[in-house]
Amino acid sequence: MTANPSDTASARCSGSPSPPSALDAAGRKLAEHHEVRFAGATTGRANLVATVATSSTSELYTYLSEKIGGLDGVQAVETALTLRHVKQLTYEPSR
């Protein structure tokens, strides 16, 4: 059964591992989480950014508090809920 996008909780999470040497390990571990749809290293206030999807806001809370909170080196996380998708990139093999 495929979840209806309106029945899911989607969020963009960003954080900064500390010390900076923890960036690679934290990013690789983050990318292993099945909730993560995108993960990348960035510059600026946060050094990691991820887009996650869960089946409910309750599940999102559990994910943030247990899995993200349990990543070694992650000192802080900022989360922004996605209220509505306006456009989503897709793969087009003809390009």
Side-chain angles (χ1 to χ4, degrees):
M1 178 176 168
T2 304
N4 181 340
S6 64
D7 296 337
T8 64
S10 178
R12 181 170 186 234
C13 305
S14 59
S16 297
S18 180
S21 60
L23 176 62
D24 186 62
R28 289 180 187 278
K29 194 68 175 168
L30 180 68
E32 292 175 3
H33 296 174
H34 76 274
E35 297 89 349
V36 173
R37 303 298 184 254
F38 168 83
T42 63
T43 60
R45 292 182 60 193
N47 299 115
L48 286 175
V49 65
T51 300
V52 301
T54 59
S55 61
S56 66
T57 53
S58 175
E59 190 177 304
L60 177 62
Y61 176 83
T62 301
Y63 172 74
L64 292 172
S65 61
E66 294 178 8
K67 286 191 172 179
I68 296 289
L71 285 175
D72 287 336
V74 174
Q75 300 297 310
V77 174
E78 182 177 327
T79 305
L81 285 174
T82 303
L83 299 177
R84 183 171 73 170
H85 288 265
V86 177
K87 180 178 181 177
Q88 183 170 328
L89 296 176
T90 59
Y91 174 71
E92 296 180 26
S94 62
R95 285 189 166 187

